[in-house]
Amino acid sequence: MTSGEAEVAVTEEKPTRQRLISGPGMLLVWLYGVMVVGAVSRSVVQISTDFDRAPLAYSLSAVAGLVYGFITYSLVRGGETARKAALVCCGAELVGVLGVGTWTLVEPSAFPDATVWSDFGMGYLFIPVLLPLSAMYWLRKAARHRDAA
């Protein structure tokens, strides 16, 4: 390797991945982590002990746990691809919360037992409806910050 090649190799470093967990992003990771534990543990217990009672509700809680887990992973991973994936997933989460929340109010008999997203997350202090809104705001702000830099 000549000295010119060594110089090129040094200057062609990969750009550092944008952090998404600084400031308020750390709070989002913590809240999503709590929601992962809550939704996954709830659904595991309900599915393993009483699945026949409310299969739709318990399955939706498991899906919510997977969504929370993916968003948590994306926030921790950082980078533009992870930011975009988390943003799309937060949008899907919000659609799910609003859809299931509305469904549980309009047709309560469809849900013999509550899901994480029932009544817009009332059983979880409305965190399921507030969290994706907050995360989407933060992720869009992170994109603007990156574009300004």
Side-chain angles (χ1 to χ4, degrees):
M1 178 186 281
T2 67
S3 64
E5 290 174 10
E7 190 175 309
V8 170
V10 170
T11 59
E12 291 182 10
E13 294 179 24
K14 289 184 178 180
T16 58
R17 189 177 290 154
Q18 177 194 9
R19 289 182 47 96
L20 297 173
I21 58 171
S22 59
M26 186 59 80
L27 178 60
L28 286 173
V29 168
W30 186 85
L31 287 171
Y32 270 113
V34 169
M35 292 305 291
V36 168
V37 172
V40 169
S41 60
R42 173 187 184 140
S43 65
V44 165
V45 169
Q46 290 173 324
I47 288 171
S48 64
T49 61
D50 207 16
F51 186 71
D52 293 340
R53 181 167 178 247
L56 177 61
Y58 302 156
S59 298
L60 286 172
S61 289
V63 168
L66 293 174
V67 168
Y68 295 145
F70 180 79
I71 294 170
T72 303
Y73 169 77
S74 296
L75 290 170
V76 170
R77 180 164 172 29
E80 184 59 14
T81 302
R83 186 195 67 77
K84 287 178 181 177
L87 190 57
V88 168
C89 208
C90 286
E93 173 194 0
L94 183 59
V95 168
V97 172
L98 295 176
V100 172
T102 301
W103 192 3
T104 57
L105 295 176
V106 171
E107 185 67 38
S109 63
F111 295 90
D113 203 354
T115 74
V116 174
W117 294 341
S118 292
D119 303 319
F120 307 102
M122 186 168 60
Y124 288 82
L125 305 173
F126 297 102
I127 291 172
V129 77
L130 296 173
L131 199 53
L133 292 170
S134 302
M136 288 190 302
Y137 173 78
W138 172 250
L139 291 165
R140 292 178 61 86
K141 186 177 176 183
R144 286 192 304 269
H145 182 310
R146 177 202 46 142
D147 292 340

